[in-house]
Every structure is written in C-alpha cells, then in structure tokens.
Amino acid sequence: MTPRTPAGPTRPAPAVSRAGLIADTALRLLAERGMRGLTHRAVDEAAGLPQGSTSNTARTRLALLEIAVRRLAEREGTVLGIHELPGPGSGPAAVADALALALHRCLAHHRSLVVARYELALEATRRPELRAIYDTTGARLRAPLIALLTGAGSTAPERHALSLIAWTDGLMFTCAAGSYQAEVPGLDELRSGFAELLGGMLGTPGRPAAG
C-alpha cells in the first residue's frame, strides 16, 4: 500500500452563518485566552460583530459553551477526515495509515482546536449539562473507529478503540500543550506508532504500511 500524501489544513466553508462565526470565534478565544477569556463581549469584539450579537445567539454562558462544543465536533470531524476512513474489512496497514494522516493533520495544522477541546473537556467536568453534550458529540467520532476496528478483525473493538483514543489523546496533549509542544511527530513516526498498537491488538506484526 502506498502511503498517501499528508493533507494540508482544511479550508473553511466559503460562507459561515453568524452562529457559526460566533462558535468559531469562541473556539479561537478558548485556545488563545483560556476559559476566563471567553465572554460574550470578547466574542463580539474578536468576530467584528455589533455588541450584543453573541448574546442574541447564545444568551447564557452555558449556551455559548454548548454551541462551541457542537462546532468543535463538526470541525474535528472534518479535520480528522471521518469520511476518509477505509471501508470495512480494511487491513491494519490501511487503518494505521488513515489514523496517522488524521492525527498528523490535526497536530500540524489545527493545534488550536486541540487546545480548545481540552479547555472544554475540563469545563465539562464541572458542568453536567455541558458534559452530556460533550460526550454525545464525542461518541459520534468514536463510533466509526469501533466499526473500523471490528472490520479489521478486532475481537474487542470497544476496548481497543478506548486504547487507541487514549494513546491518541495523550500524544495530542503532549504535542499541543505538554513537554513536546515544540515537536510535531512526522507522518512516518505516527504511522509506525499506530501500526505497533494495532499489531498488538489484532495479532499482526507492528510495522508501518508498506511503501
């Protein structure tokens, strides 16, 4: 299998609704200023909107956080290329290649989304209403991975999906906010890592996709 060329940053939609602009701006502010820097007034100013626009769209802070979580799930689904995952029955090499491409794209071109997600994840631990939405949107990204592992021959796809997600999350945190913040792993490194993990899970040799 010939490895695909790493995709660059995904392009935003040509036209974004006001609600979409507000949600995107909220995510940017979360990444730049943290949770304390996210206010209705700050979103209006950063988005170049008349004062009160954000309040008209999301009247409470919780409502603003909710639209940010939903928008994050939409954008992550695009960045991670859920629609690009190989079909059922694909071998471990194809799965490793697809996952490596998705993770590399995220770390190399969309690091601010990773930081915003961790801000929202921490806030969700303190707000049950936000936790419910965060978990529901996250499940939509988890389900395709479980299906992919099932098709690849996993005997415990849900458990294996958890292990893959935990490894991926740990790597993203380390490279986006941790001690490897200045170093983004190359595509080949990520492909090898996924191949090794899948090899242990599926009982196949841990090696990157063949060139």
Side-chain angles (χ1 to χ4, degrees):
M1 176 179 177
T2 301
R4 291 171 286 172
T5 302
T10 54
R11 296 180 180 178
V16 179
S17 67
R18 174 167 289 196
L21 174 60
I22 288 171
D24 284 338
T25 304
L27 292 174
R28 176 162 59 86
L29 289 176
L30 284 170
E32 293 175 355
R33 306 180 189 178
M35 193 59 63
R36 290 186 178 182
L38 178 65
T39 66
H40 288 74
R41 180 185 293 274
V43 173
D44 287 340
E45 293 176 352
L49 294 172
Q51 185 175 341
S53 298
T54 300
S55 294
N56 288 335
T57 299
R59 293 196 174 276
T60 66
R61 182 170 178 79
L62 178 60
L64 180 58
L65 292 171
E66 287 177 353
I67 66 171
V69 168
R70 296 185 192 282
R71 182 64 167 166
L72 177 69
E74 292 175 5
R75 291 182 58 183
E76 281 191 329
T78 300
V79 170
L80 296 175
I82 300 301
H83 62 287
E84 299 173 359
L85 291 176
S90 300
V95 176
D97 186 45
L99 295 178
L101 278 168
L103 183 54
H104 186 269
R105 182 187 295 141
C106 191
L107 288 174
H109 304 293
H110 299 276
R111 192 177 299 198
S112 64
L113 278 184
V114 179
V115 176
R117 179 155 72 90
Y118 290 131
E119 290 283 350
L120 289 167
L122 288 172
E123 187 67 11
T125 65
R126 309 177 188 103
R127 293 176 178 264
E129 306 95 331
L130 189 63
R131 169 56 59 189
I133 296 171
Y134 186 93
D135 289 350
T136 298
T137 55
R140 291 207 300 265
L141 299 177
R142 186 166 64 244
L145 179 58
I146 293 174
L148 189 61
L149 289 169
T150 300
S154 169
T155 57
E158 292 193 13
R159 178 167 58 81
H160 289 161
L162 173 59
S163 295
L164 276 175
I165 291 170
W167 184 82
T168 302
D169 267 345
L171 191 63
M172 285 196 297
F173 179 85
T174 300
C175 294
S179 57
Y180 279 74
Q181 192 272 339
E183 303 176 42
V184 176
L187 181 59
D188 287 342
E189 292 178 84
L190 295 174
R191 187 183 290 114
S192 295
F194 277 116
E196 289 163 358
L197 285 171
L198 290 167
M201 293 173 180
L202 305 177
T204 57
R207 54 184 175 80

